[in-house]
Amino acid sequence: VYRKTEIHVCNSEMNEQVTDLIRDIDELLNVHITGTDKRGEKCVLNLKDIVCFYTSGQKVLTRDVEGNEYSVNYKLYELEEKLPDTLFLRIAKSEIVNIKKIKRLDMSVTGTIKVVMSDQSETYTSRRNVTRLKQALGI
């Protein structure tokens, strides 16, 4: 029994057919989401470039690997249901992070884990999500 989806493409050579197949699979798996930038323009965001989703006031915002912030028209619970759980994890009431963008963990804080993201931003897990984070990262 597999725990995660796996796709293997095997061929005797890397040819145009294999390249096209890999590109098509990548497009299917790389889900996009729309956001609004600070100028009010709608943008299409690739999920693999998203570092985190978080709440600020009454808004849900997202930050990409370049540090750009966008507002999104979803509640965090809706994103939690929509986003692939192999890529995103809710670590607190107000934040969902991209697991692939976690750079470092600091477990010296009692009861929580300090999470340093690839863009050098820092956040903390809530006590109730420590176990989920450890399981997702295989700790």
Side-chain angles (χ1 to χ4, degrees):
V1 175
Y2 290 95
R3 297 181 89 199
K4 297 180 182 179
T5 302
E6 288 185 23
I7 299 174
H8 301 270
V9 179
C10 303
N11 196 15
S12 61
E13 65 179 350
M14 186 67 155
N15 57 27
E16 186 177 343
Q17 182 183 19
V18 173
T19 304
D20 290 345
L21 181 59
I22 291 170
R23 186 193 69 245
D24 292 345
I25 292 169
D26 189 52
E27 287 176 6
L28 284 172
L29 296 178
N30 288 315
V31 181
H32 296 82
I33 193 166
T34 57
T36 306
D37 67 12
K38 292 180 181 181
R39 296 175 297 192
E41 295 180 13
K42 287 281 185 190
C43 302
V44 178
L45 309 169
N46 191 326
L47 288 183
K48 68 181 181 181
D49 296 328
I50 301 288
V51 174
C52 63
F53 293 91
Y54 60 96
T55 57
S56 179
Q58 298 297 316
K59 291 183 177 182
V60 175
L61 302 173
T62 185
R63 188 173 58 254
D64 68 12
V65 292
E66 297 174 359
N68 301 315
E69 289 184 333
Y70 304 89
S71 63
V72 293
N73 290 329
Y74 293 98
K75 303 288 185 200
L76 279 182
Y77 74 87
E78 294 171 328
L79 286 168
E80 189 174 19
E81 293 170 2
K82 177 182 176 76
L83 297 170
D85 60 0
T86 56
L87 195 57
F88 288 91
L89 178 69
R90 187 147 191 176
I91 63 164
K93 184 178 178 182
S94 61
E95 190 162 16
I96 298 172
V97 297
N98 184 336
I99 298 168
K100 307 285 188 209
K101 302 298 181 200
I102 295 174
K103 183 176 179 181
R104 190 173 67 248
L105 300 175
D106 180 356
M107 297 189 206
S108 64
V109 180
T110 306
T112 65
I113 298 175
K114 178 178 167 183
V115 181
V116 180
M117 305 302 292
S118 62
D119 66 348
Q120 302 305 315
S121 62
E122 298 177 355
T123 188
Y124 292 86
T125 61
S126 64
R127 291 184 196 278
R128 76 169 61 172
N129 289 310
V130 167
T131 303
R132 289 177 60 202
L133 177 62
K134 287 181 176 181
Q135 288 173 342
L137 297 176
I139 298 174

